[in-house]
């Protein structure tokens, strides 16, 4: 869902790749051919994909937490069932994406260890609290809306496994966005107290949602290579502008005020102009000093520890199946000798 990892600095000590292979690789990318796991690829292309896909997977898994704590408090049975389905989808997205990352030669255990140790990043948006039911609506509307803006172009990513995983992810994210907007619509058209709750949630989530697209293009470390390799199709600022232009009319329909006094429609440019983003807040949250960073990692570590018996049981079952298959094969070979 999230390309902030493209702006994290990786190792500069990567070996030089063969020039002819590099040229053939770029020609395939330019021809819109998909790069598959067994194809030759530059080391930096591989490391960039591992960084982006793993952060995307981590974000899906950690992203279950802000809404998950509202499952038992959802206002109706229908809302509870919808929210359960949404949180389950996010877990499934993480599983798809970990599988896509594994095709690049990294193990899922490595990726999970990097998350739990705090070494790996996930989207900064999930380090904010959800104090009211309206926050669940705002996450669906704004956070998943920003994710869709980011992820639809990823369906055309040059790396085949990532692009194919994103097709299903985007279909499910569109449902997530609609259910979030539906929550906000009901609150905005409800009592004055409910509308106030919706407005306060919009106030809390607007700027973090804009930060989801990553730093401005001038400060984006890896976006150039990622666009050249067609991992990304649009720059951070282009995607952010698309999101603002798409979302502001939705807020107006809800009769809610976007918390930006500098927001205005530019008739000449046919787009909205918006105020400066507080990148110091973005940096602070990304470095682990946001409102819920410690809480999120603590919850993931606890869940990982509590799930150890499930992983052990699954491994034992797989080993039992492997031994049975080996025994059956040996018996069949023995029967053939006779």
């Amino acid at each position: 869902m999230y390309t902030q990892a493209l702006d994290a600095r990786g190792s500069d000590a990567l070996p030089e790749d063969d020039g002819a292979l590099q040229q053939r690789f770029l020609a395939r990318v330019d021809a819109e051919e998909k790069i598959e796991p067994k194809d030759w690829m530059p080391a930096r292309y591989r490391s960039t994909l591992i960084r982006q896909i793993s952060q995307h997977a981590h974000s899906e898994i950690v992203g279950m937490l802000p809404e998950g704590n509202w499952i038992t408090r959802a206002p109706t049975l229908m809302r509870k069932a919808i929210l359960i389905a949404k949180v389950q989808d996010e877990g499934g997205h993480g599983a798809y994406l970990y599988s896509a990352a594994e095709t690049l030669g990294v193990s899922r255990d490595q990726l999970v260890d990097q998350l739990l140790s705090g070494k790996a990043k996930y989207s900064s948006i999930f380090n904010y609290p959800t104090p009211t039911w309206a926050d669940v609506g705002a996450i669906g509307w704004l956070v998943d809306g920003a994710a869709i803006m980011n992820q639809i172009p990823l369906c055309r990513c040059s790396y085949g496994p990532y692009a194919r995983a994103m097709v299903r992810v985007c279909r499910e994210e569109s449902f997530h966005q609609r259910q979030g907007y539906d929550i906000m619509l009901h609150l905005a058209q409800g009592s004055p107290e409910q509308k106030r709750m919706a407005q306060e949630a919009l106030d809390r989530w607007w700027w973090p949602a804009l930060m989801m697209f990553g730093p401005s293009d001038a400060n984006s470390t890896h976006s150039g290579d990622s666009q050249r390799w067609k991992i990304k199709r649009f720059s951070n600022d282009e995607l952010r502008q698309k999101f603002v232009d798409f979302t502001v009319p939705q807020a107006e329909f809800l009769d809610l005020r976007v918390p930006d006094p500098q927001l205005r429609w530019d008739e000449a440019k046919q787009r909205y102009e918006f105020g400066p983003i507080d990148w110091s807040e973005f940096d602070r949250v990304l470095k682990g000093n946001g409102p819920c960073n410690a809480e999120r990692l603590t919850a993931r570590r606890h869940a990982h520890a509590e799930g150890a018996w499930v992983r052990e049981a699954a491994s034992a079952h797989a080993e039992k199946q492997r031994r049975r298959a080996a025994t059956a094969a040996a018996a069949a070979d023995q029967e053939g000798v006779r």
Side-chain angles (χ1 to χ4, degrees):
M1 173 174 186
Y2 314 92
T3 58
Q4 291 169 348
L6 292 175
D7 304 296
R9 293 190 178 276
S11 171
D12 293 325
L14 295 172
E16 292 294 323
D17 294 305
D18 180 81
L21 290 172
Q22 178 88 9
Q23 290 305 312
R24 284 199 291 273
F25 168 81
L26 291 175
R28 291 188 62 194
V29 169
D30 289 341
E32 299 291 344
E33 293 182 27
K34 292 292 184 236
I35 307 301
E36 299 297 340
K38 293 185 178 180
D39 295 339
W40 184 91
M41 64 187 74
R44 286 195 300 122
Y45 177 82
R46 184 185 301 274
S47 63
T48 296
L49 279 168
I50 291 173
R51 186 167 53 248
Q52 176 171 340
I53 297 173
S54 62
Q55 187 198 21
H56 193 162
H58 299 329
S59 298
E60 297 284 359
I61 298 300
V62 176
M64 299 165 69
L65 297 173
E67 294 171 297
N69 65 21
W70 273 96
I71 288 175
T72 59
R73 297 180 288 161
T76 68
L77 184 59
M78 183 185 75
R79 292 293 186 192
K80 179 177 294 193
I82 292 172
L83 189 55
I84 289 172
K86 181 179 188 293
V87 172
Q88 286 178 326
D89 282 349
E90 305 294 5
H93 297 172
Y96 307 152
L97 292 165
Y98 282 133
S99 295
E102 286 179 308
T103 66
L104 292 159
V106 62
S107 74
R108 189 174 307 206
D109 286 343
Q110 285 177 281
L111 298 178
V112 172
D113 286 345
Q114 289 170 3
L115 172 64
L116 298 180
S117 69
K119 179 180 178 182
K121 302 295 184 185
Y122 56 88
S123 181
S124 61
I125 195 75
F126 298 118
N127 290 312
Y128 290 88
T130 50
T132 72
W133 173 247
D135 291 278
V136 176
I139 289 176
W141 172 35
L142 299 175
V143 177
D144 294 323
I148 292 169
M149 202 65 65
N150 231 338
Q151 292 171 5
I152 287 177
L154 290 175
C155 295
R156 296 186 290 124
C157 169
S158 59
Y159 188 59
Y162 194 21
R164 289 188 289 274
M166 292 313 304
V167 173
R168 178 168 179 175
V169 170
C170 286
R171 287 173 180 164
E172 293 176 348
E173 291 291 357
S174 65
F175 152 71
H176 300 170
Q177 193 272 344
R178 287 196 297 272
Q179 69 86 33
Y181 192 73
D182 185 65
I183 291 173
M184 296 296 281
L185 180 63
H186 278 74
L187 291 173
Q189 294 179 345
S191 67
E193 177 64 19
Q194 288 174 319
K195 185 173 183 179
R196 182 185 62 79
M197 186 189 303
Q199 179 64 60
E200 289 175 351
L202 173 57
D203 293 346
R204 281 191 289 271
W205 291 93
W206 176 255
W207 293 106
L210 295 192
M211 295 176 198
M212 275 184 69
F213 297 96
S216 63
D217 293 345
N219 296 315
S220 182
T221 308
H222 295 288
S223 284
D225 282 343
S226 293
Q227 287 187 266
R228 175 67 186 92
W229 293 326
K230 298 189 178 181
I231 298 173
K232 287 182 68 172
R233 297 283 176 155
F234 300 98
S235 73
N236 296 350
D237 287 340
E238 287 174 325
L239 290 168
R240 191 169 9 252
Q241 185 67 57
K242 286 174 181 285
F243 174 75
V244 171
D245 292 343
F246 187 78
T247 307
V248 169
Q250 294 179 338
E252 291 173 346
F253 181 81
L254 295 175
D255 194 27
L256 298 178
R257 174 188 49 79
V258 173
D260 180 358
Q262 297 184 41
L263 182 71
R264 63 179 182 84
W265 175 254
D266 188 317
E267 188 63 34
K269 295 179 180 178
Q270 287 293 293
R271 71 182 193 189
Y272 284 96
E273 297 292 329
F274 53 93
I277 296 172
D278 181 4
W279 290 114
S280 64
E281 177 184 343
F282 174 80
D283 292 337
R284 185 170 62 254
V285 176
L286 207 59
K287 289 176 181 176
N289 300 313
C292 298
N293 290 66
E295 178 184 333
R296 300 290 184 247
L297 275 182
T298 298
R300 285 308 313 150
R301 289 168 184 150
H302 176 74
H304 188 73
E306 289 291 300
W309 70 272
V310 178
R311 296 190 297 277
E312 292 165 3
S315 296
H317 178 71
E319 177 60 21
K320 182 186 292 185
Q321 295 294 96
R322 186 194 66 76
R323 288 199 303 267
R324 284 178 179 172
T327 300
D333 289 344
Q334 190 69 22
E335 188 67 27
V337 171
R338 293 177 186 172

